[in-house]
Amino acid sequence: MVGVTLKGVAKYYGETMAVKDVSFQVGKGELFFLLGPSGCGKTTILRMMAGFLQPDSGSIYFDDRPIDDVPPHRRNTGMVFQNYALWPHMNVAENVAYGLRERKVSRQERELRVGEALETVRMSAFRDRMPNQLSGGQQQRIALARALVIEPDVVLLDEPLSNLDARLRLDMREEIRRIHDETGITMVYVTHDQKEALSMADRMAVMSMGHVQQVGEPRTVYRRPQNRFVAEFVGEANMIAGKLLSLRDGTGVVETALGELQARIAGQSLTPGRPVVCMVRPECLRSGPAALNEIAALVSSSVYLGDVEQYVLAAGQERLLQVRANPAPTPPGPGQEVSVHFRPEDGVILPRED
Ligand code: ATP
């Protein structure tokens, strides 16, 4: 098990910048996510960690060792791909044993370790099956066993759940998390699915256009995004435009068309007079009047979803989304006037031009 550090890493494909000036640290034993939209450079970073690609500048370290000159097969990484990539002509046990054969591990030890790896992914009963006799979820478990069996320092997972149906994806999230916690292996996991990252990660790096936008724990990234991109990528976000009037102790007052609003400053140096947005998550908009941050609105539409009810509200020129748990028995209908409010600690002030 190792920690992985990237320092100032850049990668170009010809003229195309894939990754630029990327620095972050993955702790030993961490389940670390790279989250971002298609084309933001996540896979490129994973491939550089595996050694299939070389950075154009910067360096990657496993613990304190720079690994730029270490070929892929010496890095002791296990890979798990979206398409499972099992050998179709080998049965489950042979697939899992493959990496051990390559490492010239004795037959007896191979048997033992393949048995343990299959146990870890709960597939012991399937050892004699061929890959085409397995479901997608089962194939992905075998791919995981194959990565784990070599006792890697790091496991790199590239969109491992993308080919599975929705229900199975949810089950496999828990499974991968369990396997991570049981083995304690450092894992770097690439996805574009923010729910996957939020629900599974110890920490995550949110990426856009080759850059890391923010690194942090899921709760921090969701509640305290540092810019508009992160706010909108990790969840639904209401953005109320305004101008920063004043700030004190990390809380700012924003002048908006809906009145003065108070919220937390996101960490970067914002000065009064600056155009900003006040970001509030839909579930942080509470119903009813309040002394602070009250917004008068009209209900435009609502959708009942059983566990929650979603409202689209019109507040002046702003369109706000509100999500209410425990929907009222007689919810307000379209055209009805409502008041909503939010706590200053539930709002974040972000620079507007981001
Ligand atoms: P996805 O989720 O779609 O796989 P990603 O975030 O993993 O996306 P990368 O595959 O790392 O993104 O690609 C980053 C950028 O580099 C993209 O603009 C992509 O088009 C470009 N790119 C990737 N591989 C190559 C290549 N072999 N040759 C040229 N450009 C490439």
Side-chain angles (χ1 to χ4, degrees), residues 13 16-19 36-45 159 190 192:
Y13 298 105
T16 310
M17 183 269 283
V19 170
S38 183
C40 72
K42 315 178 289 289
T43 300
T44 300
I45 291 181
E159 306 260 9
V190 160
H192 61 266

Side-chain angles (χ1 to χ4, degrees), residues 4 14 19 22 42 131 139 161 168 173 188 201 233 283 307 336:
V4 182
V19 170
V22 163
K42 315 178 289 289
Q139 290 187 53
L161 305 185
L168 199 53
R173 278 184 199 169
V188 182
F233 195 75
E283 68 278 12
D307 56 342
Q336 194 166 326

Side-chain angles (χ1 to χ4, degrees), residues 211-335:
H211 292 272
V212 170
Q213 301 289 331
Q214 187 167 353
V215 179
E217 292 176 9
R219 274 170 210 275
T220 312
V221 172
Y222 185 81
R223 285 188 52 80
R224 296 273 172 265
Q226 276 168 15
N227 59 42
R228 278 189 78 147
F229 174 81
V230 174
E232 289 174 331
F233 195 75
V234 300
E236 294 284 347
N238 292 304
M239 299 285 183
I240 305 165
K243 189 175 79 176
L244 186 62
L245 286 181
S246 63
L247 66 152
R248 201 173 147 194
D249 298 334
T251 298
V253 180
V254 181
E255 181 182 39
T256 78
L258 311 180
E260 284 185 10
L261 299 177
Q262 289 193 24
R264 303 285 297 171
I265 297 284
Q268 66 287 84
S269 51
L270 285 175
T271 43
R274 183 119 183 229
V276 292
V277 289
C278 194
M279 191 288 293
V280 191
R281 299 278 179 212
E283 68 278 12
C284 293
L285 280 180
R286 299 163 171 220
S287 295
L292 265 183
N293 294 343
E294 181 178 338
I295 298 169
L298 289 177
V299 174
S300 300
S301 62
S302 66
V303 184
Y304 176 69
L305 293 171
D307 56 342
V308 297
E309 189 145 19
Q310 287 179 354
Y311 295 89
V312 178
L313 307 176
Q317 298 298 308
E318 306 281 355
R319 175 187 173 279
L320 301 177
L321 192 63
Q322 184 192 16
V323 171
R324 284 173 68 176
N326 304 317
T330 49

Side-chain angles (χ1 to χ4, degrees), residues 89-109:
H89 58 287
M90 293 183 191
N91 70 19
V92 162
E94 288 163 349
N95 260 285
V96 177
Y98 182 81
L100 298 177
R101 271 178 193 277
E102 277 208 316
R103 286 168 168 73
K104 310 263 187 286
V105 173
S106 72
R107 171 191 276 267
Q108 205 179 359
E109 193 180 340

